[in-house]
């Protein structure tokens, strides 16, 4: 079966746009991606839209109402933090199925404020702070502490992830924040849930990102192979049963399963990956995923961050965009935004943060509940 | 709930906390006879092995070991911080999450695998909209 | 490319289950469909879930948590009243793409009570009853009146749709209601929005339906071809721009576009269709869709209902299940429930309401905003 | 909105209803210079032809014809019924939905293509949470 290519991809600068609506924010990225491909919405045969906050509000169709109501099939997907990547993958699937040649995938989110998770509802009395914490910073803190119990990972090592990603963001004009945060600043920031301080939590922002996908035939026909990015693997998993599931969301197993399948599908290994955008929703999470994605052996993630192997210029730069910690994390947009980041490097357009000679990159998102998506992308020409 | 309101007796904070009329409170698991998976709460199909109608209630142990935790310094408004959100593997099976009490909120004082015991107390004074009191479970270092 | 087959399909009896949760309701249909195929959830390679009310709440994954947490990819889709059909179509797509062999599609909904639409929110003052009505009965009444203006369709003709569908439901034990409603009962029922009386509005119910889809190779391998139903066409459309769009949702054009594409994909015409389950969300809507689906020429829909051509025993029986008007309309489940109905006839298992010798059937749903899905199904062996 | 509250002047029920300081109320459309599509409300890209930055405001006619309608007998609590929900094609372009008033709520009395005119009045006494009054538009048989 022939390959699928990304021929246009872009994102808006993440920020806060309370006066706009979600379709309008999504439409902006859609137009940017179409412009990047030199195509019009009138050329698209389908739209796959990822949005979480208004998942039942026909956001995809409303994006078409903003930019061109062409009558094509629209699918709205929701999959926690893997929402955008799921929409992208379904778009990819529709080309693999030979149903479409040219498809637009959009991820968009307009976020509320404050802590995610733990809201409760339900009957009886509120459980937050009574039966532990269900807030996201605490949940990912506990996941980090599981790593600490196994391998002695330290607060300082977790904090270094934020230092690195914030540093990367200073080279990314599309990041929400572009501010250096030295180690002592990160470690002395307000403690939210030990070991995650405020600067080790991803940023709630509004945002959108979009990609134009094309079949091999159409990519050639349009003469766009020189700027195309080949989708070498597209994998989605949920979490298989684990004994602590009910009280401790497992972000590891579904990531490991997805990584294994993705490397197999792409016919490459972790050693072939030139850069990674992974789901650093909290600093603790990034450490786990070094091992989950096979970037190092189990137990070596702490050393990896200590040695700068995942910083720009290191062995395998991770989250050159600034990551969710600094670029921001608009849930439904995140999956496509990291596809934008990796594609931009593969095309050699990443400016100051360019990973030299990047040929193959990997994107990873994971949403609790659970959905993990991994894409392996390669420069086409 | 109306009936319980009238008796004035405290209610369990979660359904898997049992408050027998004539006995000590305990945590109830539901165990799959086919594969041994332990759940908190009733169910008819096993999420691990998909066996149907093989799940039976089982009394969980009041002893266990600290698996992982976080010290929570920021929570929702009105919730007292810091507190320790702890994940405990109970002896004999079942993993439960709850507040770890009677420890300092300091990672140096909270070793992994610390033996803990489950204790039952009033649910931090929280009441539902009908004014009912609740009993909850907590973990504390095993004495 | 080889065909895709339905090898298991079922639904629960629609009703009201306020004490259950949406995942639990969906799980019940999933198990029924798996049982129908003689397979286990452990055999499925992916789950596509359609749910509207809790579209961002990981309903698909929660269904797996109810019946078997296998770690397979789960996609949650939302597309208004085409939600279930969209999930089914994405499942179909994943087999067409040769990514999967065996896929489960589940549609489920737990509805609130009362009128849909027109809820408002927004700034300023409520608009309902000030700028006309945005309630669904009124919107579909207006769509019916557009037909009346063109062709002189009468209140009585619209009402006859309900008489027919309620009659059909008396033969369907899975319908929410199974009650005969003579013409005078329908016409004298409380007027909701002229010309739709209360008995001409679909029933808000909870419900779920599920289907197991398989590749041709897998269907043969499992020896299930004798009970399989071939998916001859799967089409999704949105509404192309129309001049009255902003104030009058157009359910016609997207249905016509979808029907044209579906007949083309299947290589059949309306004259080949033995039975139809179409989107009778209101009695007025069914009349429009006779013409939209090409079951008769434009302007002949009124005569068609008068002559009984769409009643059981007529030329092309429509909504043998009782339709949304009597079986009930759990939004996310509806699309797969009508695939169940048509499949059941194709297999010859529809009991008292069986369409004799049914070989090819068509299912249709349309959700405002808009998404229209059409499937053409055929008995395999 | 705070500013308008102070003036005490009624506000328009929808943004495309214009209440000029020195002139009669009117409905404003937005028209695509490239393809002629008419919208209610501002926008930068045309939904019909996808042209960008070609949309200009245009004053819609106060005359039109009844295209379709429903007589609404059941609505949300507190809303007076029956009323006629009408879709009107305005002369020269633009389709608008609103209440058709000064007709009997009887299909026999409401012929399709009936000429109607747009009238502007208080929004049925509805006020927002700040106590502001609103002006809305209505259709009535052309006199
Ligand atoms: Zn089991
Ligand atoms: Zn235009």
């Amino acid at each position: 079966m022939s390959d699928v290519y990304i021929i246009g991809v872009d994102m808006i600068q993440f920020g806060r746009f309370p006066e706009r609506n979600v379709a309008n924010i999504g439409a902006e990225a859609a137009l940017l991606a179409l412009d990047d491909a030199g195509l019009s919405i009138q050329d698209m045969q389908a739209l796959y839209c990822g949005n979480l906050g208004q998942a039942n509000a026909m956001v995809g169709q409303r994006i078409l109402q903003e930019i061109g109501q062409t009558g094509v099939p629209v699918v709205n997907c929701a999959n926690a933090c893997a929402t955008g990547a799921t929409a992208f993958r379904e778009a990819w699937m529709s080309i693999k199925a030979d149903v479409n040649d040219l498809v637009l995938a959009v991820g968009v989110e307009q976020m509320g404020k404050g802590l995610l998770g733990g809201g409760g509802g339900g009957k009886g009395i509120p459980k937050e702070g009574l039966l532990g914490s269900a807030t996201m910073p605490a949940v990912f803190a506990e996941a980090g502490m599981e790593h600490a119990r196994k391998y002695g990972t330290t607060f300082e090592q977790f904090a270094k992830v934020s230092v690195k990603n914030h540093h990367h963001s200073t080279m990314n004009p599309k990041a929400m924040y572009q501010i250096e945060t030295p180690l002592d600043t990160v470690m002395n920031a307000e403690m939210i849930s030990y070991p995650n301080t405020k600067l080790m939590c991803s940023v709630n922002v509004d945002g959108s990102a979009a990609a134009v996908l094309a079949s091999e035939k159409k990519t050639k026909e349009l003469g766009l192979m020189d700027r195309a990015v080949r989708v070498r693997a597209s994998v989605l998993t949920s979490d298989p049963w684990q004994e602590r599931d009910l009280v401790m969301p497992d972000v590891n197993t579904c990531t490991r399963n997805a990584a294994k399948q993705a490397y197999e599908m792409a016919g490459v290994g972790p050693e072939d990956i030139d850069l990674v955008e992974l789901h650093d929703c909290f600093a603790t999470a990034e450490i786990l995923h070094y091992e989950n994605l096979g970037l190092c052996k189990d137990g070596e993630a702490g050393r990896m961050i200590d040695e700068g192997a995942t910083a720009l210029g290191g062995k395998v730069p991770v989250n050159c965009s600034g990551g969710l910690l600094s670029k921001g994390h608009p849930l439904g947009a995140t999956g496509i935004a990291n596809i934008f980041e990796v594609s931009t490097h593969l095309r050699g357009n990443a400016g100051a943060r360019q990973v030299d000679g990047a040929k193959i990159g990997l994107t990873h998102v994971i949403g609790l509940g659970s959905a993990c998506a991994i894409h392996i992308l390669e420069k086409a020409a | 709930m109306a009936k319980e309101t009238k008796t004035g007796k405290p209610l369990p904070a979660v359904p898997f906390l049992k408050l027998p009329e004539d006995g000590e409170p305990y945590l109830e698991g539901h165990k799959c006879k086919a594969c041994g998976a332990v759940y908190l709460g009733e169910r008819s199909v096993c999420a691990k092995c998909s066996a149907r109608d093989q799940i039976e209630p089982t009394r969980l142990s009041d002893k266990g070991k600290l698996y992982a935790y976080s010290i929570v310094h920021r929570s929702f408004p009105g919730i007292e911080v810091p507190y320790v959100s702890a994940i405990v593997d109970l002896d004999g099976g079942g993993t439960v999450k709850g507040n770890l009490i009677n420890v300092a909120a300091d990672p140096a004082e909270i070793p992994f695998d610390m033996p803990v015991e489950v204790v039952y107390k009033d649910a931090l004074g929280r009441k539902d909209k009908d004014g009912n009191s609740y009993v909850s479970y907590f973990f504390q270092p095993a004495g």
Side-chain angles (χ1 to χ4, degrees), chain A, chain B:
Chain A
M1 198 166 283
S2 67
D3 281 318
V4 176
Y5 295 83
I6 301 165
I7 59 171
V9 60
D10 210 339
M11 62 180 272
I12 67 169
Q13 184 186 355
F14 291 170
R16 297 216 172 86
F17 315 110
E19 74 296 343
R20 295 172 67 181
N21 68 53
V22 68
N24 184 261
I25 295 169
E28 186 181 350
L31 291 176
L32 289 171
L34 288 164
D35 288 350
D36 184 47
L39 295 169
S40 152
I41 187 67
Q42 308 282 335
D43 299 312
M44 297 298 109
Q45 295 165 339
L47 169 62
Y48 284 81
C49 179
N51 171 263
L52 206 59
Q54 300 185 44
N56 59 7
M58 303 297 264
V59 173
Q61 286 86 345
R62 285 161 58 203
I63 288 172
L64 289 188
Q65 286 158 18
E66 293 266 334
I67 63 173
Q69 212 174 318
T70 59
V72 299
V74 177
V75 174
N76 298 291
C77 300
N79 235 352
C81 298
T83 290
T86 298
F88 179 91
R89 184 170 186 264
E90 292 299 303
W92 167 84
M93 191 91 78
S94 80
I95 295 176
K96 276 295 203 195
D98 214 11
V99 169
N100 296 313
D101 265 338
L102 269 176
V103 183
L104 180 64
V106 181
V108 58
E109 203 72 43
Q110 199 170 24
M111 302 282 291
K113 282 194 174 181
L115 281 171
L116 293 181
K123 293 173 191 161
I125 50 173
K127 310 300 188 299
E128 182 63 26
L130 173 66
L131 301 179
S133 180
T135 62
M136 288 300 112
V139 164
F140 281 89
E142 287 158 6
M145 291 300 273
E146 185 184 39
H147 197 268
R149 78 170 272 135
K150 282 191 203 158
Y151 305 117
T153 326
T154 64
F155 173 33
E156 182 175 326
Q157 286 173 323
F158 290 127
K160 282 179 177 171
V161 169
S162 278
V163 175
K164 168 181 74 70
N165 292 357
H166 284 88
H167 171 63
H168 288 168
S169 75
T170 63
M171 295 171 270
N172 182 3
K174 297 207 171 192
M176 168 76 180
Y177 294 118
Q178 299 159 40
I179 305 167
E180 293 283 1
T181 59
L183 184 60
D184 61 336
T185 306
V186 172
M187 293 181 74
N188 292 323
E190 182 191 352
M191 183 59 72
I192 304 295
S193 264
Y194 180 85
N196 282 322
T197 69
K198 188 170 184 180
L199 291 175
M200 296 161 72
C201 300
S202 55
V203 189
N204 274 6
V205 296
D206 307 332
S208 60
V212 178
L213 291 85
S215 65
E216 182 157 339
K217 184 162 168 281
K218 183 57 89 175
T219 304
K220 286 179 179 161
E221 200 178 299
L222 292 168
L224 292 175
M225 200 54 90
D226 60 332
R227 62 201 324 283
V229 170
R230 182 183 291 122
V231 182
R232 288 278 298 258
S234 177
V235 170
L236 180 67
T237 59
S238 59
D239 50 336
W241 191 88
Q242 298 287 312
E243 61 172 315
R244 294 184 188 86
D245 262 359
L246 295 161
V247 298
M248 193 175 182
D250 172 20
V251 299
N252 302 309
T253 312
C254 57
T255 297
R256 285 171 186 244
N257 289 349
K260 184 167 176 289
Q261 291 175 43
Y263 289 130
E264 232 171 73
M265 188 183 287
V268 302
E271 66 283 1
D272 301 310
I273 303 294
D274 297 313
L275 79 160
V276 171
E277 286 285 307
L278 64 74
H279 206 70
D280 59 328
C281 50
F282 295 89
T284 46
E286 180 163 321
I287 291 288
L288 311 183
H289 295 313
Y290 293 167
E291 297 169 16
N292 292 333
L293 297 174
L295 306 183
C296 64
K297 287 189 189 140
D298 284 356
E300 292 184 352
R303 205 179 67 191
M304 206 176 192
I305 189 76
D306 283 340
E307 292 176 350
T310 57
L312 194 55
K315 195 186 89 179
V316 50
V318 170
N319 290 330
C320 295
S321 67
L324 315 186
L325 291 173
S326 192
K327 179 177 64 178
H329 183 20
L331 310 180
T334 290
I336 300 183
N338 66 16
I339 287 171
F340 162 74
E341 180 68 15
V342 167
S343 299
T344 301
H345 286 268
L346 298 179
R347 288 171 167 186
N349 295 335
R353 69 188 190 283
Q354 176 69 43
V355 173
D356 285 337
K359 295 229 159 31
I360 300 185
L362 181 149
T363 67
H364 161 262
V365 282
I366 172 160
L368 294 191
S370 291
C372 175
I374 291 183
H375 287 89
I376 296 178
L377 306 175
E378 180 188 33
K379 186 164 174 33
Chain B
M1 292 283 169
K3 209 171 184 179
E4 284 109 325
T5 306
K6 279 175 200 154
T7 71
K9 277 196 209 154
L11 305 173
V14 288
F16 63 88
L17 166 54
K18 297 298 170 189
L19 303 173
E21 289 285 326
D22 49 355
E24 294 301 303
Y26 67 94
L27 299 180
E28 183 185 68
H30 278 78
K31 190 167 186 169
C32 175
K33 284 191 286 182
C35 76
V38 177
Y39 300 92
L40 303 172
E42 294 180 41
R43 54 188 306 141
S44 63
V45 185
C46 177
K48 182 179 183 188
C49 77
S50 295
R52 302 188 197 176
D53 304 317
Q54 296 286 310
I55 315 271
E56 290 189 333
T58 177
R59 185 171 178 141
L60 299 179
S61 173
D62 279 351
K63 306 279 180 193
K65 283 186 174 146
L66 178 66
Y67 181 73
Y69 68 94
S70 173
I71 305 168
V72 180
H73 291 265
R74 198 204 282 183
S75 187
F76 290 99
I79 292 174
E80 202 183 326
V81 289
Y83 62 90
V84 179
S85 173
I87 289 155
V88 169
D89 291 340
L90 298 176
D91 297 347
T95 299
V96 182
K97 182 166 179 167
N99 284 11
L100 174 61
I101 59 173
N102 298 331
V103 294
D106 174 359
E109 304 291 318
I110 311 175
F112 295 116
D113 289 326
M114 173 167 74
V116 301
E117 60 191 12
V118 185
V119 293
Y120 304 90
K121 303 195 305 177
D122 178 75
L124 305 178
R126 297 183 189 185
K127 294 186 195 301
D128 64 23
K129 60 179 166 32
D130 298 323
N132 292 299
S133 294
Y134 283 76
V135 171
S136 192
Y137 63 87
F138 300 83
F139 306 119
Q140 66 180 15

